[in-house]
Amino acid sequence: MRQLTLTFFLTLSFVFWPIAAARALETDQFTVPDKPLPDLSMDLDLKIDLDLRVLINDANDHLAQGGHEAQKYRENDYFALALDKMYANGIPECTIERWIRYTDFGKPDARFDVGILSSVYGRALIGRPITLFTLAPTINLYGHYVGTDKVGHFFQQGYEYYETFRKSQLAGKTDQDAVHDAVLRGIAQEQGIYGMFIVDVYSNADLSANIAGFMFYRNLTQLVRLPDGTVLLPMLVLRNGRWELNAMAGDHHLKAYVCDNWDESMNPCDYAPMLRHIVQDNLRDLGARWVAFHHTTRERETQRLAEMTTWHGIHYGHSDSKELVTIVNHYYDVVDHTAFASKR
């Protein structure tokens, strides 16, 4: 009887744990707000700036004390781990996600929340997994509309990538192979516990935020050159035995990292078949408002889809599935087909 009871509760835990863990892991940018959202990039950059200063002061105190332990405070690894501890604790929303969700920025309509039934995932009685029942809000960062979950991916999974990269480096692998190992970790997560296995979604935008966060962690004290020619100056520099913010790098700490790749409508997801049909049907109704909100064209969105396959030239695990639900193939194509049919 005890064995049966234990098995029963373990089964219940397995069934219901994903429901809790999946809360707010997905988002929806196909559903757009009634008006543009205020840009929160300055607020987030200021927070990062202040927190980096705290870490700098701590590191400098230890450097001044000298001794064997002081060496670790000269390393990028120290700042990466310290920032991860500050920002990336907890699931389903980590520390920085909760900060963005609940902080009063003094700006009206700072976040756009959409209920699941009103979203691109809604309006269906069957086909949507029970684990997909609430969504992360959308915010505006540097003019890009992204889910708050992407900031979480940036810092939380970004550090996991950094951790994997460093382990591979220390094992003697080249930087290129170490980056590949990190990307494979993210792909496995999207195919499994963070994506397809739980909510029937493989998010290209999540993976893009992951690789961006990884590069951010590398860039804390190191110059980073990206494949497209972008050069990122280190945010922190060691001068005369003391760390300081690098004035040459500027104070827009996230500007080089946030881009359209983080927007799940511009960098659309791959879905399990039943959820894909729901999104396809809803997008036909949501498309007109989306196009008007972004002041875009079929040509621009076709070009943008091609741009989404890499992040600054890095292959980050973008799905090459022919089944991606895009504004081109499930709005523009539908509108064009309907117009053509009516003329006949």
Side-chain angles (χ1 to χ4, degrees):
M1 181 65 180
R2 291 182 63 187
Q3 180 65 36
L4 180 60
T5 302
L6 178 60
T7 302
F8 176 74
F9 280 107
L10 286 175
T11 302
L12 284 181
S13 298
F14 178 79
V15 170
F16 287 105
W17 174 82
I19 296 177
R23 191 178 79 81
L25 290 179
E26 297 306 321
T27 187
D28 171 22
Q29 278 78 60
F30 283 119
T31 307
V32 294
D34 293 329
K35 59 183 180 181
L37 301 178
D39 192 335
L40 299 184
S41 59
M42 183 179 296
D43 303 88
L44 186 52
D45 276 332
L46 179 59
K47 176 174 177 55
I48 295 169
D49 193 274
L50 294 174
D51 289 337
L52 286 176
R53 291 177 187 274
V54 170
L55 297 182
I56 285 173
N57 289 337
D58 182 63
N60 286 338
D61 286 344
H62 284 89
L63 289 174
Q65 294 173 17
H68 178 72
E69 282 293 309
Q71 179 56 36
K72 76 174 185 180
Y73 296 95
R74 294 176 175 272
E75 305 295 333
N76 190 79
D77 288 353
Y78 159 72
F79 289 101
L81 178 59
L83 204 60
D84 170 70
K85 288 180 176 179
M86 293 179 77
Y87 287 173
N89 287 321
I91 58 171
E93 289 181 305
C94 66
T95 316
I96 193 67
E97 289 177 77
R98 294 192 296 273
W99 181 82
I100 295 173
R101 182 187 277 270
Y102 299 114
T103 295
D104 180 4
F105 294 106
K107 301 174 182 178
D109 303 318
R111 294 159 287 257
F112 174 60
D113 282 290
V114 57
I116 192 69
L117 295 180
S118 302
S119 75
V120 75
Y121 301 112
R123 309 177 206 177
L125 297 177
I126 59 173
R128 187 178 69 245
I130 61 172
T131 50
L132 184 56
F133 66 94
T134 188
L135 301 171
T138 295
I139 56 173
N140 175 359
L141 291 179
Y142 291 111
H144 303 284
Y145 283 72
V146 304
T148 55
D149 64 313
K150 299 302 175 285
V151 182
H153 273 270
F154 181 85
F155 285 105
Q156 192 172 62
Q157 279 62 61
Y159 182 77
E160 291 176 0
Y161 276 34
Y162 180 81
E163 189 177 47
T164 299
F165 172 80
R166 291 291 290 131
K167 287 180 179 178
S168 295
Q169 271 190 327
L170 293 173
K173 292 190 177 183
T174 66
D175 283 4
Q176 183 176 358
D177 287 341
V179 171
H180 183 65
D181 288 346
V183 170
L184 288 179
R185 178 174 183 171
I187 292 172
Q189 290 173 341
E190 282 301 317
Q191 291 173 338
I193 198 69
Y194 290 155
M196 277 291 187
F197 181 72
I198 297 298
V199 287
D200 290 354
V201 178
Y202 179 98
S203 174
N204 290 316
D206 284 358
L207 291 173
S208 182
N210 293 355
I211 196 72
F214 160 58
M215 291 299 173
F216 172 88
Y217 281 111
R218 291 184 69 185
N219 189 218
L220 286 170
T221 69
Q222 300 169 1
L223 184 144
V224 173
R225 298 182 187 274
L226 300 177
D228 67 352
T230 300
V231 176
L232 303 174
L233 298 177
M235 287 174 267
L236 312 177
V237 290
L238 189 63
R239 291 197 177 100
N240 300 318
R242 292 181 60 82
W243 287 104
E244 60 185 58
L245 287 171
N246 184 5
M248 296 294 292
D251 54 8
H252 297 299
H253 300 297
L254 292 185
K255 191 170 185 179
Y257 301 95
V258 183
C259 58
D260 289 343
N261 290 57
W262 294 23
D263 183 324
E264 291 204 349
S265 60
M266 295 180 178
N267 190 13
C269 304
D270 195 5
Y271 304 106
M274 293 187 70
L275 186 60
R276 183 186 309 130
H277 291 306
I278 294 173
V279 174
Q280 289 171 350
D281 290 342
N282 288 328
L283 186 52
R284 296 184 185 109
D285 298 328
L286 296 170
R289 288 194 70 239
W290 189 93
V291 168
F293 183 83
H294 290 288
H295 308 287
T296 190
T297 64
R298 180 194 185 105
E299 291 71 27
R300 175 63 188 114
E301 294 315 310
T302 300
Q303 177 188 20
R304 198 193 313 266
L305 287 172
E307 296 167 356
M308 295 298 100
T309 59
T310 68
W311 181 83
H312 287 285
I314 299 176
H315 293 277
Y316 58 85
H318 183 277
S319 171
D320 59 358
S321 171
K322 305 301 181 185
E323 303 292 340
L324 293 181
V325 182
T326 76
I327 200 72
V328 174
N329 63 17
H330 286 286
Y331 173 68
Y332 281 115
D333 283 356
V334 172
V335 170
D336 292 348
H337 176 76
T338 302
F340 176 76
S342 65
K343 289 179 181 180
R344 296 185 66 186

